[in-house]
């Protein structure tokens, strides 16, 4: 190996050592090689140590770090309202009505306290000085980490009758603390605003309303009496939501179980307080720990337990989870044995058995909690295990004695779970033995020759026909094919032993090679044994294909969640269309891409001009205008799908502002659509029309009777729809105007506004257009001339070469990675319950709510 040209090492032995090991052992290592990162530089250099990876999750974790300080103010008894705002420029503000961060000069460090806590690691009021007793922020690094990772960061403090402000850029003070106004002395609080640094968060700096909303909803549940408001002021996604729950985590558990068939209607609520020894940096003192535990059983086959310490979510559980599990298992077994529900000779129920079908939230409030890392995923305080165990065990003993019938129901469910677990063990053993005796792999699997899982991928293909094309077209070195015949069992409605009897399920388990199910028993899932690091679901684009894809996703997310969490599961995106025009042949992924091609082709052959004018839309602008009109049409179709009229919407326009609400009012068989500029106008109308029952609320018999007597006629029912589309429509109309296509008038009934000219001279074909959408329709029509469009419904319609080139070739294909992490796990669980569970009503409601958004439904 030749020595690198820029090397200065001339020692032959050192050079040889470097060539053999890849390490330059001739390099100096002394005091000059030791460096120290000043201030918040360490956070910028190694953000992963403080907020996790600087991806979309890390971005939102910044908001939660700032939010934790406001929650700590609430826990201390000083904050009732928190407002989180995604500002128009993409920054985020977190405002609370707490005491306000201290602004006086620190006696030891000589700087304002607010500047100290926002710029110095491990500076804060949570180290035993008495400012916070039950805090989620412990290490004094949260807000200052956000400061370090922000392009700009601003703190505004309302305290002592004054408004103070201080500004930072990338962790460094650029505007010292100053008084910017006066305020009533009763008004206090802190507002933190920041804009993430795009050089750190290279994946994205766009905050997601839904992701923030999930966490804020949790916090409102965990802190009854606290109001949390979330608002998105960005025009393209403007919306707002308020979270307030008077009964706290009891309502949380009810919501988690709302799409399931419940064993008992009311959640079991256990709470208590214990006095424990707390270690404050070597100083032992006694303090109170509060435990709130609420759970409810349903007839599903999985457990869902969420753990929180001082309102911080602990995705990996910890000692509070261990304490709950042990107490639940012990309490149920003791009650079952003492009341002869289980015979003495019967084996004890396992923890897995007694937790089947449970939805539980455990919340502890404690001084000086300790976590396994700054991301606080796991609580490690050893003393908490016995505290939670004591509260849960004693509470359950009392509850079971007072509710014997319900107790028997819970124990009977656990007994059935134990029987099913044993059946699953036997079924798993049968599958394992059949695999070994059959050579280890299913016969229908066409395996690849590569043995490194990181380089291997398996396509799970719908049907033998598509499987045949995939086998013929694949790269045999690293692409395996497993064709499935028919639909796999819906595992959401079946226990594991039933699922293991399904031959298609068996084939997938044995092909992947990592086992199935939880626990330590032989045959349980082991991520290290996965044979392919890309498991790709490849189904047809029709209804059956979508159903099979959903069944497979349900199977993997329910019984191999570790595989999904590792990022190994993907969904292939076969093309929707094949277009042929002259000698041009192209595969199209979706309707949006097809429209772009039609627009490109049509705009080359047609000109747009204003009627009675020489004004012609330049070709360079025409494509953008047409794409804007295509986007506009999508938003308009949604509005009209809900009963609105775009023409009426434009007629109600106030300046550049479109109505923000649409209300469908029904009186008997009559229906009326009314538009409102904003919520204030809507509520004013409802106040003036007292017989109007807003938003489709259900009336009790007494209410209905009272209404009818009061208004002596049919009730007027109304369903409100917030027109978020209005903001997007306004933005599109403004841009279309900027490019020279006048949007007023948009429609004309008597004379054309624009016209298209196709060709030239006397042979030119002129088509009059009476609204702007007709421009788009005409150009698309021209683009389709001489074009053959073939829509694929099944993979089997493509030959082997086509299938590989469009769907399997790593250089050309599009794959969707399936993600399942703690930020989306609750929503994913809810959707599986709705779409695949036993309860019909939530599924019916989901279909009704989303039917108007369906595109290209093949039936």
């Amino acid at each position: 190996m030749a020595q690198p040209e820029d090397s200065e090492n001339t020692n032959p032995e050192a050079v040889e050592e470097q060539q053999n090991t890849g390490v330059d052992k001739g390099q100096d290592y002394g005091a000059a090689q030791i460096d120290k990162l000043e201030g918040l530089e360490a956070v910028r250099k190694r953000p992963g140590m403080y907020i996790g990876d600087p991806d979309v999750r890390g971005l939102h974790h910044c908001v939660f770090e700032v939010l934790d300080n406001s929650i700590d103010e609430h826990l201390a008894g000083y904050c009732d309202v928190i407002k989180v705002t995604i500002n128009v420029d993409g920054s985020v503000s977190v405002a609370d009505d707490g005491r306000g961060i201290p602004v006086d000069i620190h006696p030891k460090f000589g700087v304002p306290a607010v500047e100290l806590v926002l710029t110095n690691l491990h500076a804060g009021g949570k180290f035993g000085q008495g400012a916070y007793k039950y805090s989620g922020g412990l290490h004094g690094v949260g807000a200052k980490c956000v400061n370090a990772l922000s392009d700009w960061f601003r703190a505004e403090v309302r305290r002592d009758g004054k408004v103070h402000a201080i500004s930072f850029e990338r962790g460094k003070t650029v505007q010292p603390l100053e008084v910017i106004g006066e305020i009533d002395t009763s008004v206090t609080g802190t507002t933190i605003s920041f804009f993430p640094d795009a050089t750190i968060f290279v994946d994205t700096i766009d905050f997601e309303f839904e992701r923030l909303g999930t966490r804020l909803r949790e916090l409102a549940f965990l802190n009854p009496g606290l109001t949390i408001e979330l608002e998105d002021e960005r025009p393209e996604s403007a919306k707002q939501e308020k979270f307030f729950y008077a009964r706290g985590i009891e309502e949380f558990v009810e919501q988690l179980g709302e799409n399931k068939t419940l064993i008992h209607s009311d959640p079991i609520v256990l709470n208590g307080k214990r006095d424990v020894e707390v270690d404050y940096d070597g100083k032992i003192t006694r303090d109170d720990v509060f435990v709130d535990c609420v759970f409810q059983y349903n007839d599903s086959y999985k457990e869902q337990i969420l753990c929180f310490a001082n309102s911080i979510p602990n995705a990996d559980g910890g000692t509070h989870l261990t304490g709950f599990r042990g107490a639940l298992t012990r309490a149920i077994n003791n009650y079952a044995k003492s009341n002869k529900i289980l015979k003495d000779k019967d084996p004890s129920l396992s923890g897995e058995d007694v937790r089947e079908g449970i939805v539980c939230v455990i919340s502890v409030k404690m001084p000086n909690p300790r976590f396994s890392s700054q991301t606080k995923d796991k609580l490690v305080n050893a003393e908490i295990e016995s505290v939670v165990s004591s509260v849960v065990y004693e509470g359950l003993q009392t509850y079971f004695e007072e509710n014997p019938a319900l107790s028997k129901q819970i124990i009977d469910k656990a007994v059935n779970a134990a029987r099913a677990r044993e059946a699953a063990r036997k079924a798993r053993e049968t599958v394992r033995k059949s695999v070994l005796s059959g050579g280890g792999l299913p016969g229908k699997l066409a395996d690849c020759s590569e043995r490194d899982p990181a380089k291997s991928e398996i396509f799970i293909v719908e049907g033998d026909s598509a499987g045949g094309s995939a086998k013929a077209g694949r790269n045999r070195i690293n692409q395996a094919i497993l064709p499935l015949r028919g639909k796999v069992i819906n595992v959401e409605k079946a226990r594991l032993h039933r699922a293991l009897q399904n031959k298609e399920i068996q084939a997938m388990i044995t092909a992947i090679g990592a086992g199935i199910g939880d626990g330590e028993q032989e045959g349980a899932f082991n991520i290290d044994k996965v044979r392919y690091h890309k498991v790709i679901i490849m189904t047809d684009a029709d209804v059956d294909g979508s159903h099979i894809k959903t069944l497979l996703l349900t199977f993997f997310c329910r019984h191999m969640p570790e595989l999904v969490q590792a990022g190994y599961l993907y969904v292939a995106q076969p093309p929707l269309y094949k277009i042929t025009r002259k000698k041009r042949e192209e595969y199209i992924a979706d309707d949006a891409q097809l429209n772009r091609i039609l627009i490109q082709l049509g705009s080359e052959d047609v000109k747009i001009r204003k009627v009675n004018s020489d004004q012609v839309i330049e070709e360079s602008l025409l494509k953008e205008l047409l794409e804007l009109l295509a986007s506009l049409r999508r938003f308009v179709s949604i509005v009209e799908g809900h009963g609105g009229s775009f023409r009426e919407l434009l007629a109600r326009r106030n300046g550049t502002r479109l109505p923000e609400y649409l209300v469908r009012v029904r009186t008997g068989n009559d229906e009326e659509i009314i538009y409102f500029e904003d919520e204030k106008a809507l509520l004013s109308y409802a106040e003036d029309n007292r017989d109007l029952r807003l938003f489709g609320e259900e009336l009790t018999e007494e209410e209905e009777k009272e209404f009818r007597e009061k208004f002596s006629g049919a009730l007027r029912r109304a369903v409100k729809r917030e027109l978020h589309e209005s903001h997007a429509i306004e933005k599109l109309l403004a841009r279309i105007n900027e490019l020279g296509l006048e949007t007023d008038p948009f429609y004309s009934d008597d004379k054309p506004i624009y016209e298209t000219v196709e060709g030239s001279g006397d042979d030119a074909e002129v088509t009059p257009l009476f609204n702007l959408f007709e421009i788009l329709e005409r150009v698309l029509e021209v683009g389709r001339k001489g074009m053959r469009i073939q829509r694929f419904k099944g993979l089997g319609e493509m030959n082997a070469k086509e299938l590989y080139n469009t769907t399997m070739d790593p250089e050309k294909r599009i794959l969707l990675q399936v993600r399942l992490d703690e930020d989306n796990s609750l929503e994913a669980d809810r959707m599986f319950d709705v779409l695949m569970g036993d309860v019909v009503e939530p599924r019916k409601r989901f279909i009704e709510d989303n039917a108007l958004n369906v595109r290209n439904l093949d039936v």
Side-chain angles (χ1 to χ4, degrees):
M1 179 186 292
Q3 185 175 350
E5 293 179 6
D6 60 351
S7 173
E8 297 179 2
N9 192 346
T10 57
N11 183 338
E13 293 180 3
V15 171
E16 183 179 359
E17 185 70 33
Q18 181 183 355
Q19 290 171 354
N20 292 335
T21 65
V23 178
D24 183 0
K25 292 200 173 180
Q27 189 178 34
D28 289 338
Y29 178 58
Q33 278 69 51
I34 304 299
D35 196 10
K36 178 187 176 185
L37 298 174
E38 299 291 339
L40 297 177
E41 287 181 62
V43 182
R44 292 185 61 79
K45 290 280 188 181
R46 300 287 186 271
M49 290 181 60
Y50 301 92
I51 63 159
D53 292 335
D55 53 11
V56 65
R57 185 181 174 194
L59 176 72
H60 290 80
H61 189 78
C62 289
V63 181
F64 305 147
E65 286 285 5
V66 174
L67 189 62
D68 285 347
N69 294 330
S70 298
I71 294 296
D72 290 340
E73 278 289 285
H74 172 74
L75 293 174
Y78 297 100
C79 172
D80 296 316
V81 179
I82 300 172
K83 182 168 183 179
V84 179
T85 306
I86 307 174
N87 300 307
V88 174
D89 63 351
S91 63
V92 164
S93 298
V94 179
D96 64 51
D97 62 350
R99 290 169 290 184
I101 302 174
V103 293
D104 49 325
I105 302 298
H106 195 281
K108 180 178 177 181
F109 300 103
V111 296
V114 62
E115 184 172 3
L116 179 70
V117 302
L118 292 175
T119 56
N120 286 266
L121 289 176
H122 311 293
K126 303 165 187 176
F127 298 106
Q129 303 93 326
Y132 296 95
K133 187 173 181 181
Y134 300 105
S135 167
L138 313 169
H139 310 130
V141 298
K144 62 269 297 170
C145 286
V146 181
N147 187 2
L149 302 176
S150 296
D151 195 48
W152 58 262
F153 184 102
R154 176 182 169 88
E156 185 180 289
V157 179
R158 299 170 294 282
R159 189 179 173 111
D160 304 324
K162 294 181 173 62
V163 181
H164 307 259
I166 185 169
S167 300
F168 311 87
E169 289 181 5
R170 302 186 178 186
K172 296 181 180 178
T173 308
V174 294
Q175 183 68 49
L177 185 70
E178 60 178 340
V179 176
I180 60 172
E182 296 186 357
I183 200 168
D184 192 285
T185 54
S186 64
V187 178
T188 60
T190 302
T191 300
I192 299 290
S193 301
F194 67 95
F195 189 90
D197 185 351
T199 65
I200 300 291
F201 299 97
V202 293
D203 289 349
T204 180
I205 57 170
D206 291 331
F207 291 98
E208 299 172 9
F209 186 93
E210 288 72 20
R211 191 181 286 259
L212 292 175
T214 298
R215 175 66 180 136
L216 299 190
R217 186 178 292 105
E218 281 181 359
L219 287 168
F221 279 128
L222 293 164
N223 295 277
L226 174 66
T227 299
I228 304 181
E229 300 174 9
L230 174 62
E231 183 172 7
D232 189 345
E233 293 184 343
R234 295 171 296 187
E236 68 275 10
S237 56
K239 62 184 78 170
Q240 60 185 45
E241 199 164 350
K242 182 183 288 189
F243 308 101
F244 175 84
Y245 302 100
R247 292 186 293 121
I249 62 175
E250 187 177 349
E251 291 183 73
F252 196 0
V253 170
E254 288 175 347
Q255 190 177 101
L256 291 172
E258 66 182 357
N259 297 318
K260 302 175 174 74
T261 301
L262 302 175
I263 300 297
H264 50 107
S265 57
D266 297 321
I268 297 171
V269 180
L270 308 174
N271 47 53
K273 177 179 73 171
R274 296 291 186 272
D275 182 37
V276 299
E277 288 188 348
V278 181
D279 184 354
Y280 287 106
D281 299 325
K283 181 182 177 182
I284 305 299
T285 184
R286 299 197 70 85
D287 225 325
D288 291 333
V289 172
F290 296 87
V291 177
D292 288 289
C293 178
V294 180
F295 62 91
Q296 189 172 35
Y297 280 94
N298 58 71
D299 69 348
S300 70
Y301 309 124
K302 62 185 183 301
E303 64 178 89
Q304 185 178 17
I305 304 177
L306 305 180
C307 300
F308 300 86
N310 291 3
S311 298
I312 301 297
N314 314 124
D316 297 331
T319 49
H320 44 357
L321 176 60
T322 305
F324 168 76
R325 284 177 164 176
L328 180 70
T329 306
R330 194 166 73 255
I332 288 180
N333 273 301
N334 287 352
Y335 183 83
K337 291 284 179 72
S338 62
N339 288 274
K340 307 301 180 185
I341 301 173
L342 283 179
K343 307 300 180 187
D344 292 336
K345 62 180 181 180
D346 291 336
S348 294
L349 298 169
S350 73
E352 189 179 341
D353 300 330
V354 301
R355 294 193 303 272
E356 183 186 87
I358 197 172
V359 172
C360 175
V361 175
I362 305 165
S363 175
V364 295
K365 288 186 171 60
M366 55 188 295
N368 201 31
R370 297 188 299 279
F371 301 101
S372 58
S373 68
Q374 170 62 17
T375 53
K376 304 169 188 171
D377 286 336
K378 188 174 185 178
L379 182 70
V380 296
N381 296 66
E383 70 275 12
I384 295 302
E385 181 176 343
S386 60
V387 170
V388 175
S389 178
S390 168
V391 170
V392 172
Y393 183 77
E394 292 174 16
L396 274 178
Q397 290 287 81
T398 302
Y399 186 88
F400 285 162
E401 293 295 338
E402 294 175 353
N403 300 272
L406 177 57
S407 305
K408 187 174 186 308
Q409 278 183 286
I410 292 173
I411 292 167
D412 285 344
K413 178 173 175 58
V415 170
N416 289 333
R419 292 171 183 153
R421 177 170 52 85
E422 180 62 18
R425 185 191 65 78
K426 292 177 179 178
R428 190 162 37 225
E429 182 66 15
T430 301
V431 171
R432 190 177 66 83
K433 287 180 178 178
S434 66
V435 169
L436 293 176
S437 62
L441 293 172
K444 61 171 72 176
L445 173 69
D447 204 6
C448 57
S449 57
E450 176 63 63
R451 287 295 170 259
D452 182 354
K455 298 177 182 177
S456 305
E457 53 190 43
I458 181 172
F459 288 84
I460 299 175
V461 185
E462 172 194 354
D464 291 335
S465 174
S469 294
K471 287 179 182 179
R474 69 184 174 126
N475 180 343
R476 295 170 181 267
I477 295 174
N478 72 324
Q479 291 183 329
I481 307 296
L482 179 65
L484 299 182
R485 180 177 296 173
K487 294 177 181 176
V488 300
I489 190 172
N490 180 4
V491 298
E492 192 72 7
K493 296 182 180 180
R495 291 185 184 273
L496 179 58
H497 71 278
R498 283 278 316 282
L500 290 175
Q501 294 169 3
N502 182 272
K503 293 189 181 300
E504 308 306 316
I505 295 282
Q506 291 179 12
M508 286 191 292
I509 295 168
T510 53
I512 292 169
I516 188 72
D518 301 323
E520 301 296 326
Q521 68 271 27
E522 191 173 8
F525 185 85
N526 183 347
I527 190 69
D528 296 328
K529 293 183 178 180
V530 172
R531 301 181 63 243
Y532 314 92
H533 284 187
K534 276 192 173 69
V535 178
I536 304 167
I537 299 171
M538 189 162 70
T539 61
D540 293 344
D542 59 7
V543 171
D544 280 344
S546 297
H547 189 202
I548 291 170
K549 178 168 59 182
T550 306
L551 290 168
L552 290 172
L553 287 171
T554 306
F555 167 73
F556 283 115
C557 290
R558 289 306 196 207
H559 292 299
M560 292 187 183
E562 300 91 342
L563 181 135
V564 185
Q565 289 161 356
Y568 295 168
L569 185 63
Y570 296 81
V571 177
Q573 297 293 288
L576 200 59
Y577 298 104
K578 174 184 176 181
I579 62 172
T580 308
R581 192 189 197 209
K582 297 178 182 176
K583 293 184 179 181
R584 176 174 177 170
E585 188 174 279
E586 197 167 345
Y587 296 92
I588 307 300
D590 52 32
D591 285 289
Q593 187 180 354
L594 175 62
N595 266 358
R596 283 195 294 272
I597 289 174
L598 293 175
I599 285 172
Q600 180 181 347
L601 295 173
S603 59
E604 293 172 357
D605 298 336
V606 73
K607 291 180 181 178
I608 308 293
R609 70 184 179 198
K610 196 170 184 181
V611 173
N612 300 323
S613 169
D614 294 333
Q615 180 187 357
V616 176
I617 306 293
E618 296 292 331
E619 187 178 335
S620 57
L621 300 178
L622 183 56
K623 290 178 186 175
E624 183 182 353
L625 283 168
L626 293 168
E627 288 180 3
L628 289 169
L629 285 170
S631 298
L632 181 63
R633 188 169 63 178
R634 285 197 297 273
F635 286 112
V636 168
S637 67
I638 296 172
V639 172
E640 293 182 341
H642 287 277
S645 161
F646 184 49
R647 295 187 73 156
E648 182 67 18
L649 204 65
L650 290 175
R652 300 280 180 178
R653 196 176 189 184
N654 183 3
T656 60
R657 187 176 179 184
L658 292 169
E660 294 181 357
Y661 288 89
L662 175 154
V663 174
R664 182 184 291 114
V665 182
R666 298 186 186 93
T667 307
N669 294 324
D670 296 330
E671 181 170 285
E672 180 184 7
I673 300 291
I674 309 176
Y675 298 90
F676 296 94
E677 185 173 300
D678 51 31
E679 191 168 22
K680 181 180 178 182
L682 168 59
L683 295 176
S684 174
Y685 177 85
E687 187 70 24
D688 293 339
N689 295 267
R690 303 294 300 201
D691 62 332
L692 183 72
R693 188 66 172 177
L694 269 180
F695 316 152
E697 296 175 12
E698 292 297 324
L699 301 179
T700 65
E701 289 185 11
E702 290 183 1
E703 285 177 320
E704 187 154 348
K705 182 179 178 183
E706 179 185 344
F707 265 72
R708 290 188 184 283
E709 288 175 353
K710 191 170 182 179
F711 301 108
S712 61
L715 288 175
R716 302 177 68 200
R717 296 292 185 90
V719 178
K720 175 185 74 169
R721 173 173 171 77
E722 191 168 354
L723 296 174
H724 295 299
E725 297 82 11
S726 287
H727 300 283
I729 290 172
E730 286 169 9
K731 195 172 180 180
L732 289 167
L733 291 174
R735 180 58 182 159
I736 290 170
N737 276 318
E738 287 176 10
L739 294 178
L741 197 68
E742 296 177 13
T743 60
D744 187 16
F746 196 99
Y747 293 94
S748 173
D749 293 324
D750 51 355
K751 55 184 179 181
I753 313 171
Y754 288 89
E755 58 190 15
T756 61
V757 182
E758 188 181 354
S760 59
D762 295 336
D763 297 329
E765 182 181 347
V766 179
T767 305
L769 306 172
F770 293 83
N771 66 68
L772 267 60
F773 285 138
E774 288 185 356
I775 296 176
L776 176 64
E777 291 162 7
R778 179 60 185 158
V779 172
L780 292 176
E781 185 181 333
V782 172
R784 284 191 179 91
K785 287 185 177 180
M787 177 182 290
R788 180 172 174 265
I789 302 176
Q790 177 187 353
R791 186 169 194 277
F792 293 115
K793 292 187 179 181
L795 299 171
E797 295 180 33
M798 288 184 268
N799 60 40
K801 184 179 179 181
E802 283 180 319
L803 186 58
Y804 179 79
N805 288 338
T806 61
T807 315
M808 301 173 67
D809 183 355
E811 299 295 323
K812 301 175 183 176
R813 71 189 181 191
I814 299 173
L815 295 181
L816 297 182
Q817 187 179 39
V818 181
R819 298 290 301 275
L820 186 65
D821 54 39
E822 63 183 85
D823 293 323
N824 67 10
S825 59
L826 286 181
E827 179 61 19
D829 186 75
R830 187 186 74 82
M831 287 310 302
F832 280 124
D833 286 337
V834 168
L835 299 177
M836 309 303 289
D838 283 321
V839 184
V840 174
E841 186 55 37
R843 184 155 53 250
K844 179 183 176 184
R845 190 163 58 244
F846 177 85
I847 293 170
E848 289 174 347
D849 290 344
N850 292 277
L852 295 167
N853 299 325
V854 172
R855 299 289 180 272
N856 296 316
L857 180 63
D858 292 309
V859 293

